[in-house]
Amino acid sequence: MIRGGMPTLHVSDLDRSVRFDTEASGLGLVFRAGGHGAQVDAGDGLQLGLHPGASGPPATTVSVGLIVTEPIDDVVATLRWRGVPIEDPSREGGRAIASLADPDGNPLDVYEPGR
């Protein structure tokens, strides 16, 4: 009945956030409404909404988790090569997760489910 979703991240610089999500993180741009907002495709029915107007630290403590389709060590290496600061993956129970933040400090995690 319900599939996917679109959490909205409030950002201070829409152009910078779109570049981060599409160039550094490798997500696809779905829609851009000039300077009013954008949507990026995070795969499998999940899109991230970007809404300008934030200043200072994020207003929420919600973290967006993104499931990886390649080994997490490869994903972390690629993100670091693209200039994204990201923690080393932590592993527990066959799962692995690495944390990063977008340019406005919104928390993001890349997650490799256990097999």
Side-chain angles (χ1 to χ4, degrees):
M1 185 170 93
I2 297 173
R3 182 180 74 84
M6 188 177 70
T8 298
L9 302 174
H10 296 275
V11 301
S12 60
D13 183 325
L14 185 61
D15 291 331
R16 178 183 68 179
S17 293
V18 168
R19 276 192 312 275
F20 175 82
D21 286 339
T22 59
E23 295 173 14
S25 298
L27 305 177
L29 182 64
V30 174
F31 175 77
R32 174 81 188 251
H36 301 286
Q39 290 171 244
V40 293
D41 183 9
D44 229 10
L46 177 65
Q47 295 183 0
L48 301 178
L50 304 175
H51 181 73
S55 61
T60 66
T61 57
V62 173
S63 176
V64 175
L66 305 169
I67 298 171
V68 299
T69 58
E70 300 172 15
I72 196 161
D73 292 321
D74 295 346
V75 172
V76 168
T78 297
L79 291 172
R80 285 183 175 151
W81 181 81
R82 293 177 179 169
V84 177
I86 184 169
E87 295 177 0
D88 287 332
S90 63
R91 291 172 165 81
E92 185 176 323
R95 301 179 298 172
I97 189 167
S99 299
L100 62 142
D102 75 3
D104 286 292
N106 292 299
L108 305 168
D109 295 315
V110 289
Y111 172 74
E112 180 180 57
R115 296 174 198 221

